[in-house]
């Protein structure tokens, strides 16, 4: 009976197409190459559910959720508890259908293929009643030969999507030989089970920072590709440097799909480098790969592509001209960037283990940045402007690296192109995370297709510097996350090697030898390989990269952090601002103890952990106004997060040149995480919608190219100069001591000048803290605070930093500041002048929903006045900003404390 209802629903869905005839985005020819045409089928499609009770028009690319929203069938899926209320959408089956005409110039070609750039996820596809095939992988491109099925008018294309949740459950049950854990996410995540059995964004079934929205839809474009001779599904260009450092070449890789065997020539041109060469080509019928190496003219200087902060991001146009016997010709272009990348794992003097750092163009680079998660649960909502805002925000915070995390999606082309332009390097995971996976032949085959497609698609981007096979799956086995009995462990290690080494690694090495490959993150790298790919301790700080989280120890105490070779994940949670939460909540939700606050928290005990960490160093808010107390608590979680990540990041940056007790030489700090997928608590430094948290403002300073780092070690005050520059500097430290009770400095001290080599961290200031304070007006650790900066002969270099000698909750003399503000427009930006009556730590400026950012925020204000600049992201005015501006200080959130 159920099958009959679904057939009937499909008929209803097809009949409803008559109103949409010709509504596809039929763009017609999209190629200037004679003999090859593309025809877009994007645009309005009809979507129906399994019983025909819902039928509506929806956009392709898109998904069912956004289609339902745009037609008014559901509210904002992010509003309050709608992630649970709309669970039914992901449990149903849906059919996408369109009717279209086909121009004669398409139908007349010898070959016509129907190409799907992204099907989400499990489907059966038919054209004019004929079955074309099935899909089971969100990350693959699907391609069907449809030349004999097309007619001039009334072509009906149907994509019948099955619930990925049901599919994953069925696949798990069918895998009866042995379990493949985990079965389900923790209950706090309110998610779906068995996501490791479906090739889909793993976080779409829920994660500890995001909702469960197992989407269905056509998330990539759909088009016809028609040709008489051949088409080029992939074109890649990767640089290589010869034994002679001045000799560059470009390896051009052409993936051809030819109607018949053909002979001809390929001409590669780099006009800006006065380089051109013609090669003969012999193509078999069907699919083939041809590789040509173009030596670059040595008499022309090649400008290199450099990571952000180390040089420019030069890209060259390369023309590819193919001519085949019979008159067929292709003339296309691609971009080439010249850079080399090496992952250096070699012995270190005075330390066991191996180094782990990246050398770009022969220069060791400290990787500074964060981890990237999907920018929205519904990928069709991730617009170019959203990507630009987030990636520019990363660049503006002095980041040079993002890790595209393995539980999300391989990002769209625009993402990688922007990273190329901005100089933001990409650590690219393959999409496997926090789970074990099946290794049956069907699963392995779809993964092989996925990996091959993604490597071919992305290998030309200079921003991608490393492939990593998964997130935390080596650690999951080594640390026994899933309670696997010891006698059964070899079976899972074997599956791990089969998937990531025998298949993914084998494909990557075949497809792309231009950049390094890692089997996991964290991993011991070469040592993990030596131990059979699953190390005894993948978190060993003497090797590879590490992930480190501890929510119970004091995050200000640097002694609790691992002095690792490379920190690829670490962090602390915070809540977003009230203006961000207000959009998806109701007044009854505006309490830290509300059901909404509990519902949005997907990390076990996360809300309490934030307060416990905050209580170590701050008084908790005590406003008698419940709404103000809530807003103050949100603010305090951001203060706590910012200060915690600052302490840990500065520890890693000052550890770049040192070996202490065999550990150190840290060469990377990527905190978790950059962005949010919805409005809720998470480890992010940027809220959903693009607003900077306090952490992101702090990141702008703690990732500065030149940075002073201060800390206490058994009563000794040390201040390091950290430099990411390639040139040397002669620097001194200037320390200013303030009493909490006064805006006038107590005293100022300076170190002697010293040579700080480029790419190093050097201690410039050492003095017992008690002696320093005693010599500064009888200060104590409770009554005074330090600021410090670096100077050379030309003035200050880098930001001014601060060090609390005791917890602010114990500060003596900290007063309630009287803050006044004035705002004036200065061209396209706005100057905000602040005046204070008292020292104000963590002074926070918030303009609510007005999009934009300040040049600094969350700072220690120790002068009577200070001017900061606001950069709007849209039209606003000084009067609007004045009305919206709210200023919060640490002392202001605990009004009744002494």
């Amino acid at each position: 009976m159920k099958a009959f209802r679904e057939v009937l629903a499909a008929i209803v869905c097809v009949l409803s197409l008559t109103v949409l005839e010709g509504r596809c985005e039929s763009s017609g020819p999209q190629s200037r190459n004679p003999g090859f045409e593309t025809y877009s089928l994007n645009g309005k499609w009809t979507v129906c559910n399994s019983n025909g009770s819902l039928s509506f028009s929806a956009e392709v690319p898109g998904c069912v959720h956004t289609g339902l929203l745009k037609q008014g069938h559901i509210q904002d899926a992010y509003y309050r508890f709608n992630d649970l209320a709309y669970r039914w959408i992901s449990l149903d089956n849906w059919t996408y259908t369109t009717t279209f005409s086909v121009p004669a110039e398409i139908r007349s070609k010898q070959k016509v293929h129907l190409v799907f750039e992204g099907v989400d996820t499990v489907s059966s596809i038919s054209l004019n009643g004929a079955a074309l095939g099935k899909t089971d992988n969100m990350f693959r491109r699907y391609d069907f030969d449809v030349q004999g099925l097309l007619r001039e008018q009334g072509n009906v294309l149907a994509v019948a999507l099955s619930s990925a949740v049901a599919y994953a459950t069925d696949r798990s049950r069918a895998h009866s030989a042995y379990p493949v854990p985990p079965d389900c996410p923790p209950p706090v995540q309110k998610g779906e089970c068995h996501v490791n059995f479906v090739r889909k964004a793993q976080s779409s079934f829920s994660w500890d920072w995001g909702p469960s929205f197992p989407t269905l839809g056509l998330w990539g474009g759909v088009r016809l590709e028609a040709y008489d001779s051949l088409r080029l599904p992939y074109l890649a260009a990767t640089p290589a440097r010869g034994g002679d450092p001045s000799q560059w070449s470009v390896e051009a890789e052409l993936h051809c799909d030819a109607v018949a065997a053909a002979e001809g020539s390929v001409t590669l041109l780099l006009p800006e480098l006065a380089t051109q060469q013609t090669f003969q080509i012999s193509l078999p019928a069907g699919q083939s790969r041809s590789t040509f190496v173009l030596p670059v003219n040595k008499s022309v200087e090649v400008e290199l592509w450099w990571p952000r902060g180390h040089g420019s991001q030069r890209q060259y146009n390369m023309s590819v001209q193919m001519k085949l016997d019979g008159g067929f010709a292709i003339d296309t272009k691609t971009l080439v960037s010249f850079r080399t990348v090496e992952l250096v794992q070699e012995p270190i003097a005075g330390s066991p283990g191996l180094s782990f750092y990246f050398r770009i163009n022969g220069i060791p680079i400290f990787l500074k940045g964060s981890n990237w998660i999907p920018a929205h649960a519904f990928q069709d909502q991730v617009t170019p402007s959203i990507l630009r805002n987030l990636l520019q925000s990363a660049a503006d915070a002095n980041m040079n690296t993002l890790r595209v995390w393995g539980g999300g999606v391989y990002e769209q082309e625009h993402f990688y192109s922007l990273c190329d332009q901005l100089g933001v390097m990409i650590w690219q995971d393959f999409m496997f995370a926090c789970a074990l996976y099946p290794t049956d032949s069907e699963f392995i085959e779809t993964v092989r297709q996925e990996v091959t497609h993604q490597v071919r698609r992305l290998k030309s981007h200079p921003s991608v510097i490393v492939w990593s096979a998964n997130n935390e799956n080596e650690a999951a086995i080594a640390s026994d996350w899933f309670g696997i009995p010891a006698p059964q462990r070899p079976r899972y290690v074997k599956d791990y090697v089969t998937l990531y080494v025998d298949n993914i690694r084998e494909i990557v090495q075949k497809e792309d030898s231009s950049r390094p490959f890692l089997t996991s993150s964290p991993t011991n790298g070469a040592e993990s390989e030596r131990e059979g790919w699953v190390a005894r301790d993948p978190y060993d700080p003497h090797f590879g990269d590490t992930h480190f989280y501890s929510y119970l120890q004091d995050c200000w105490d640097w002694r609790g952090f691992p002095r690792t070779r490379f920190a690829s994940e670490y962090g602390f949670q915070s809540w977003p601002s009230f203006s961000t939460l207000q959009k998806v909540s109701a007044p009854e939700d505006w309490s830290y103890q509300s059901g909404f606050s509990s519902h949005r928290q997907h990390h076990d005990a996360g809300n309490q952990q934030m307060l416990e960490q905050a209580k170590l160093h701050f008084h908790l808010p005590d406003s008698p106004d419940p709404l103000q107390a809530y807003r103050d608590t949100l603010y305090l979680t951001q203060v706590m997060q910012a200060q915690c990540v600052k302490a840990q990041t500065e520890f890693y940056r000052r550890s770049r040149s040192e070996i202490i007790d065999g550990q150190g030489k840290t060469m990377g700090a990527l905190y978790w995480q950059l962005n949010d997928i919805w409005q809720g608590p998470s480890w992010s430094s940027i809220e959903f919608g693009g607003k900077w948290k306090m952490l992101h403002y702090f990141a702008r300073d703690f990732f500065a190219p030149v940075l002073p780092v201060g800390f206490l070690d058994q009563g000794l005050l040390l201040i390091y100069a950290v430099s990411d520059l390639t040139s040397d500097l002669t620097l001194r430290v200037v320390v200013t001591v303030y009493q909490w009770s006064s805006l006038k400095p107590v005293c100022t001290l300076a170190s002697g000048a010293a040579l700080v080599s480029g790419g190093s961290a050097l201690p410039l200031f050492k003095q017992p803290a008690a002696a320093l304070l005693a010599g500064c007006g009888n200060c104590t650790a409770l009554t005074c605070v330090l600021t410090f900066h670096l100077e050379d002969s030309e003035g200050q270099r880098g930001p001014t930093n601060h060090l609390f000698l005791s917890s602010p909750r114990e500060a003596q003399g900290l007063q309630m500041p009287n803050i006044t503000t004035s705002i004036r427009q200065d061209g396209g930006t706005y100057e905000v002048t602040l005046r204070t009556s008292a020292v104000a730590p963590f002074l926070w400026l918030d303009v609510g929903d007005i999009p934009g950012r300040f040049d600094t925020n969350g700072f220690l204000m120790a002068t009577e006045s200070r001017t900061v600049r606001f950069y709007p992201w849209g039209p606003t005015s000084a009067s609007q900003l004045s009305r919206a501006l709210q200023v919060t200080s640490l002392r202001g959130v605990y009004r009744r404390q002494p």
Side-chain angles (χ1 to χ4, degrees):
M1 192 65 183
K2 177 184 175 184
F4 174 77
R5 286 197 302 267
E6 292 189 356
V7 170
L8 182 62
I11 293 172
V12 172
C13 196
V14 171
L15 289 176
S16 68
L17 283 170
T18 55
V19 300
L20 292 177
E21 172 72 34
R23 294 278 309 278
C24 281
E25 187 185 293
S26 302
S27 55
Q30 295 178 344
S31 171
R32 59 193 178 94
N33 297 311
F36 177 81
E37 311 284 353
T38 62
Y39 192 77
S40 174
L41 298 179
N42 294 345
K44 296 291 186 183
W45 289 46
T46 291
V47 181
C48 300
N49 66 340
S50 59
N51 65 10
S53 59
L54 277 173
S55 178
F56 56 92
S57 173
E59 290 288 332
V60 170
C63 72
V64 173
H65 287 80
T66 52
L68 288 168
L69 175 65
K70 289 178 180 178
Q71 294 300 321
H73 293 294
I74 63 172
Q75 293 179 308
D76 180 1
Y78 283 177
Y79 184 70
R80 301 194 78 206
F81 308 96
N82 281 346
D83 55 316
L84 296 184
Y86 297 150
R87 184 169 175 254
W88 60 270
I89 299 170
S90 301
L91 301 180
D92 205 346
N93 301 326
W94 300 83
T95 299
Y96 273 71
T97 319
T98 187
T99 296
F100 59 97
S101 300
V102 181
E105 62 265 26
I106 297 291
R107 288 182 289 109
S108 64
K109 294 293 185 287
Q110 292 194 50
K111 286 282 187 179
V112 183
H113 282 251
L114 176 62
V115 178
F116 291 86
E117 288 292 346
V119 180
D120 184 11
T121 294
V122 182
S123 79
S124 298
I125 301 175
S126 64
L127 175 63
N128 295 329
L132 295 181
K134 297 179 180 294
T135 72
D136 61 3
N137 191 322
M138 179 182 183
F139 308 123
R140 282 178 57 182
R141 164 180 159 149
Y142 286 92
D143 194 311
F144 304 101
D145 186 346
V146 296
Q147 204 280 335
L149 296 175
L150 293 171
R151 47 196 184 220
E152 182 178 357
Q153 295 180 341
N155 294 279
V156 178
L157 175 60
V159 182
L161 293 156
S162 301
S163 166
V165 177
Y167 172 87
T169 299
D170 291 344
R171 297 294 295 178
S172 174
R173 288 173 179 165
H175 195 284
S176 57
Y178 56 93
V180 182
D183 288 337
C184 302
V188 70
Q189 293 182 18
K190 310 164 190 69
E192 305 292 354
C193 300
H194 308 299
V195 70
N196 50 334
F197 277 87
V198 59
R199 292 309 299 143
K200 178 174 175 59
Q202 301 291 274
S203 60
S204 68
F205 277 41
S206 78
W207 217 261
D208 57 4
W209 36 253
S212 175
F213 283 116
T215 47
L216 305 93
L218 301 176
W219 76 298
V222 184
R223 67 180 178 274
L224 296 173
E225 292 185 352
Y227 55 102
D228 287 323
S229 294
L230 66 79
R231 60 176 178 161
L232 283 174
Y234 303 97
L235 168 62
T238 52
R241 202 169 213 162
D244 178 355
S246 65
Q247 180 61 67
W248 283 94
S249 62
V250 178
E251 183 177 279
E253 190 174 278
L254 283 67
H255 292 263
C256 300
D257 193 354
V259 173
E263 303 286 333
S265 65
V266 173
T267 301
L268 305 178
L269 302 94
L270 287 167
E272 297 154 295
L273 294 175
T275 297
Q276 175 177 335
Q277 188 168 334
T278 299
F279 306 84
Q280 297 305 303
I281 189 170
S282 179
L283 295 175
Q287 297 182 11
S288 64
R289 175 168 64 177
S290 301
T291 302
F292 306 97
V293 177
L294 174 67
V296 176
N297 188 340
K298 291 181 66 173
S299 65
V300 181
E301 182 179 0
V302 174
E303 295 180 50
L304 302 183
W305 184 96
W306 287 97
R308 189 169 191 85
H310 293 271
S312 64
Q313 290 75 48
R314 184 68 160 94
Q315 295 182 281
Y316 291 92
N317 289 300
M318 186 172 83
S319 176
V320 179
Q321 300 171 356
M322 180 186 290
K323 296 180 181 179
L324 300 181
D325 296 343
F328 177 80
I330 285 180
D331 187 354
T332 189
K333 286 182 170 58
T334 188
L335 291 172
V336 180
S337 296
F338 293 89
R339 67 102 182 90
T340 61
V341 54
E342 305 163 84
L343 175 55
V344 182
Q345 300 179 81
E346 59 189 14
I348 299 175
S351 173
L354 300 171
S355 67
F356 189 92
Y357 68 91
F358 289 88
R359 218 162 29 206
I360 309 297
N361 299 327
I363 304 297
I365 304 291
F366 190 105
L367 271 57
K368 306 180 294 188
S370 190
N371 286 258
W372 174 275
I373 66 167
H376 204 291
F378 312 131
Q379 279 293 308
D380 54 284
Q381 299 300 296
V382 182
T383 64
S385 62
I386 287 174
L387 291 177
R388 166 62 75 174
N389 180 280
L390 289 170
L391 293 174
Q392 187 66 56
S393 291
D396 289 347
N398 290 308
M399 297 184 185
N400 63 22
T401 307
L402 291 174
R403 173 172 170 252
V404 177
W405 169 75
V409 299
Y410 307 94
E411 284 296 330
Q412 56 185 270
E413 190 69 20
H414 188 59
F415 172 91
Y416 298 97
S417 295
L418 284 173
C419 290
D420 294 343
Q421 297 166 23
L422 292 168
V424 175
M425 296 178 286
I426 296 299
W427 173 311
Q428 179 66 56
D429 281 2
F430 290 97
M431 295 300 122
F432 302 86
C434 300
L436 306 184
Y437 290 85
T439 56
D440 57 89
S441 58
E442 188 176 342
F443 188 87
I444 289 292
E445 178 55 29
T446 195
V447 167
R448 289 183 67 86
Q449 294 290 335
E450 165 193 330
V451 171
T452 300
H453 168 62
Q454 295 298 341
V455 173
R456 289 176 179 177
R457 182 175 76 93
L458 299 177
K459 63 185 288 187
S460 294
H461 289 282
S463 55
V464 178
I465 63 163
V466 62
W467 304 106
S468 178
N470 67 71
N471 172 77
E472 298 184 347
N473 296 344
E474 179 185 345
I477 296 175
S479 304
D480 195 22
W481 289 8
F482 308 121
I484 297 170
Q488 297 177 21
R489 187 172 178 271
R491 166 185 287 161
Y492 294 96
V493 173
K494 181 176 182 294
D495 280 358
Y496 180 92
V497 174
T498 295
L499 179 57
Y500 302 116
V501 181
D502 298 342
N503 284 282
I504 294 178
R505 178 174 178 264
E506 183 264 337
I507 291 170
V508 172
Q509 290 183 335
K510 175 185 175 183
E511 295 288 339
D512 180 22
S513 61
S514 70
R515 47 178 67 82
F517 173 84
L518 296 166
T519 49
S520 189
S521 177
T523 183
N524 289 348
E527 174 63 16
S528 288
E529 180 176 357
R530 191 187 68 81
E531 295 182 39
W533 302 104
V534 177
R536 180 186 58 81
D537 177 18
Y539 297 101
D540 189 335
H542 299 97
F543 301 93
D545 68 315
T546 61
H547 298 184
F548 179 79
Y549 298 93
S550 178
Y551 308 115
L552 301 180
Q553 73 180 45
D554 182 357
C555 72
W556 290 25
D557 187 352
W558 57 269
R559 294 169 297 182
F561 305 136
R563 199 183 296 269
T564 176
R565 304 290 194 227
F566 192 108
S568 51
E569 275 195 34
Y570 59 96
F572 298 85
Q573 277 197 323
S574 72
W575 276 84
S577 61
F578 179 71
S579 63
T580 294
L581 291 168
Q582 192 174 14
K583 299 179 180 69
V584 292
S585 59
E588 58 264 37
D589 302 326
W590 299 339
S591 162
Y592 201 74
Q593 291 74 38
S594 69
F596 174 80
S597 294
S598 175
H599 176 75
R600 288 276 155 152
Q601 177 56 265
H602 283 196
H603 171 62
D604 194 31
N607 287 345
Q608 187 60 32
Q609 286 173 355
M610 280 184 270
L611 294 185
E612 291 300 321
Q613 189 66 239
K615 283 196 297 187
L616 293 176
H617 296 289
F618 307 109
H619 294 290
L620 296 185
D622 61 4
S623 172
D625 177 1
L627 179 57
Q628 188 60 52
Y630 177 57
R631 297 176 69 124
D632 289 345
T633 304
L634 301 179
Y635 157 82
L636 195 62
T637 67
Q638 291 205 21
V639 170
M640 178 277 300
Q641 179 197 36
Q643 191 69 15
C644 288
V645 178
K646 173 183 186 290
Q648 194 164 356
T649 306
E650 290 183 347
F651 169 72
Y652 294 138
R653 290 203 65 191
R654 67 176 168 87
S655 298
R656 69 174 295 164
S657 300
E658 291 182 332
I659 291 291
I660 297 177
D661 297 328
Q663 299 179 14
K665 293 287 186 179
T666 306
M667 284 297 287
L670 309 178
Y671 66 77
W672 186 270
Q673 66 208 60
L674 180 76
N675 56 311
D676 262 333
I677 198 170
W678 73 338
Q679 306 92 335
S682 81
W683 292 256
S684 77
S685 62
I686 302 178
E687 300 177 9
F688 182 82
K691 191 172 184 177
W692 288 21
K693 289 182 178 178
M694 192 178 296
L695 169 57
H696 208 76
Y697 287 100
F698 274 40
R700 192 167 182 266
D701 283 349
F702 63 59
F703 283 146
V706 178
L707 175 71
V709 175
F711 61 101
L712 295 173
D713 186 6
Q714 298 180 337
L716 187 67
L717 170 64
L718 296 99
I719 300 177
Y720 279 51
V722 181
S723 173
D724 290 333
L725 306 180
T726 53
S727 57
D728 299 341
L729 296 173
T730 300
L731 298 171
R732 67 172 188 156
V733 176
V734 178
V735 181
T736 304
V737 182
Y738 291 90
Q739 288 185 332
W740 286 116
S741 59
S742 174
L743 289 167
K744 295 181 179 179
V746 177
C747 66
T748 300
L749 306 168
S751 72
L755 181 68
V756 179
S757 300
S760 72
L762 182 71
L764 295 187
F765 187 99
K766 295 182 181 179
Q767 188 171 340
L772 182 151
L773 293 172
C776 283
N778 293 317
C779 269
T780 69
L782 300 180
T783 62
C784 289
V785 62
L786 307 181
T787 68
F788 48 93
H789 64 268
L790 299 171
E791 289 183 355
D792 63 8
S793 59
E794 297 180 2
Q796 182 170 336
R797 298 296 297 258
T800 298
N801 209 337
H802 64 263
L803 181 65
F804 302 115
L805 302 174
S806 67
S807 296
R809 66 173 288 127
E810 300 168 352
Q812 296 178 1
L814 183 61
Q815 300 171 9
M816 184 80 76
N818 177 28
I819 308 285
T820 61
T821 63
S822 62
I823 300 176
R824 77 173 189 89
Q825 186 168 357
D826 180 21
T829 66
Y830 295 84
E831 288 185 348
V832 182
T833 300
L834 303 123
R835 298 188 66 84
T836 181
S837 61
V839 175
F842 304 107
L843 194 67
W844 181 246
L845 312 179
D846 190 294
V847 290
D849 286 333
I850 299 175
R853 69 168 181 84
F854 295 91
D855 61 353
T856 186
N857 210 345
F859 49 85
L860 172 68
M861 187 164 178
T863 55
E864 289 185 3
S865 67
R866 181 168 182 172
T867 297
V868 301
R869 192 171 293 274
F870 180 75
Y871 298 90
W873 295 336
T876 188
S877 66
S879 60
Q880 286 179 305
L881 289 170
S882 296
R883 289 192 298 270
L885 180 63
Q886 291 193 337
V887 181
T888 305
S889 69
L890 181 66
R891 184 63 181 84
V893 306
Y894 49 92
R895 295 158 175 77
R896 292 178 289 186
Q897 298 290 339

